[in-house]
Amino acid sequence: MGRSENPVDFSVPERGRLASQLRQCRVAAELTYEQLSLRSGLSSATLKRAAAGRKTPTEVTVVRYVKACGGSDLEIAAAKAYWRRARAAERGFTGRSLPSPSLIGTEGELSQALVSLYQKDGAPSLREMQRRAGKEWLALSSASRIVNRQALPTTPAQMEAFLRACSVPEKQHKPWLDAWNRVVGPGRFVVTRTERLEKWRLLRNSVVHQDPRTFAEIVHSIPGIPQSERATPGAMWDRLLYESFVTLDHEVFGKHLRATIS
């Protein structure tokens, strides 16, 4: 007769409930961990840890565990819901409520709300988010910047992709898209050609085309550049890259996006 399992660890209640559900699934299927291992392709140790409650397993482990027990699509969906709640609780999200999209009025509020959606969904991996959203709609780098509050979705399509990646039902997308349009909106990306932006554009061209004469004329008309960086187009390259993006960011958004959503 096999040794009985240790009690489920309920130090994080949501995680304990997930482990308890997994155990019940295995017992109902009348499988040993060795049999479950053969069916799932996972090691017995991995399966035992998943049902111990001391650490939240990966979503893939949960799905393979339940499938190996003969779980239906409905049971797999329920197991995923338990997993999301366990992951959210493990990351300290328990008790927080999502703001209503209709009340979002600033970039900072929208950014925090999107992070909350991500946390509520169990903070899935970036690759899992990309798989759900579609690679053509959500790049790994874009997903990373959004969940780390360094950027907002840049288009309605990317906003909708992020919602899909966070398991937001399609029927709930409209209020979130309305919030994006209200805070971000297409008009936010119209560039105004100011004198400062035009100077950096011309300076960029002089560097790219190795035009020292134009470079010398423009660089001396821009204040705040150290003398050591004024000598040649090559010496200006790093600063040029930085200033071009910062200036463009200022002109397009009217402020620095990072400071806005921090």
Side-chain angles (χ1 to χ4, degrees):
M1 186 173 180
R3 188 175 61 180
S4 60
E5 291 184 89
N6 292 326
V8 171
D9 183 344
F10 277 94
S11 57
V12 176
E14 293 82 356
R15 193 172 63 200
R17 283 194 283 273
L18 169 64
S20 182
Q21 288 296 316
L22 292 177
R23 286 193 182 188
Q24 289 178 28
C25 187
R26 183 184 65 82
V27 170
E30 300 182 342
L31 294 170
T32 66
Y33 279 112
E34 288 71 23
Q35 292 168 328
L36 193 60
S37 175
L38 290 173
R39 289 190 177 195
S40 66
L42 300 170
S43 70
S44 296
T46 297
L47 296 166
K48 289 177 182 179
R49 282 195 298 270
R54 290 188 293 274
K55 183 179 179 181
T56 305
T58 66
E59 185 179 18
V60 172
T61 295
V62 170
V63 170
R64 290 171 70 174
Y65 191 118
V66 176
K67 278 186 176 181
C69 290
S72 64
D73 289 344
L74 190 61
E75 289 170 322
I76 291 171
K80 285 183 176 182
Y82 276 108
W83 176 82
R84 284 194 291 272
R85 287 194 285 271
R87 276 279 288 174
E90 190 174 57
R91 295 171 68 90
F93 189 75
T94 308
R96 299 181 198 172
S97 59
L98 281 171
S100 169
S102 63
L103 300 178
I104 294 173
T106 67
E107 292 171 350
E109 290 172 352
L110 179 58
S111 177
Q112 181 57 61
L114 295 182
V115 173
S116 295
L117 284 176
Y118 166 72
Q119 295 283 11
K120 183 175 182 291
D121 194 42
S125 70
L126 297 179
R127 291 200 178 278
E128 173 60 18
M129 293 179 73
Q130 188 182 67
R131 185 193 67 77
R132 296 176 186 176
K135 189 173 182 179
E136 66 276 22
W137 299 114
L138 189 65
L140 295 177
S141 57
S142 298
S144 176
R145 286 195 296 271
I146 294 169
V147 301
N148 285 297
R149 301 198 67 197
Q150 296 172 343
L152 292 170
T154 56
T155 66
Q158 191 178 74
M159 177 68 178
E160 198 157 16
F162 185 83
L163 295 174
R164 287 197 305 274
C166 292
S167 305
V168 177
E170 190 172 349
K171 62 183 179 182
Q172 296 177 18
H173 284 194
K174 188 177 185 305
W176 288 100
L177 289 169
D178 289 344
W180 182 89
N181 275 302
R182 186 168 59 252
V183 173
V184 181
R188 182 173 182 265
F189 295 95
V190 177
V191 177
T192 303
R193 281 282 179 87
T194 65
E195 182 181 355
R196 183 165 183 258
L197 182 60
E198 185 66 10
K199 279 186 178 180
W200 279 106
R201 187 185 69 81
L202 293 172
L203 188 60
R204 178 201 63 197
N205 289 346
S206 70
V207 171
V208 171
H209 298 295
Q210 291 292 298
D211 180 355
R213 180 176 178 179
T214 303
F215 172 84
E217 291 175 356
I218 298 172
V219 75
H220 290 290
S221 70
I222 301 178
I225 299 176
Q227 188 62 40
S228 60
E229 294 182 6
R230 294 175 180 268
T232 65
M236 276 291 296
W237 187 248
D238 288 341
R239 173 173 283 270
L240 177 63
L241 289 175
Y242 170 78
E243 291 286 353
S244 293
F245 283 109
V246 169
T247 305
L248 181 61
D249 182 56
H250 178 81
E251 300 298 341
V252 173
F253 303 119
K255 49 197 163 183
H256 298 306
L257 183 58
R258 183 184 292 275
T260 303
I261 64 177
S262 63

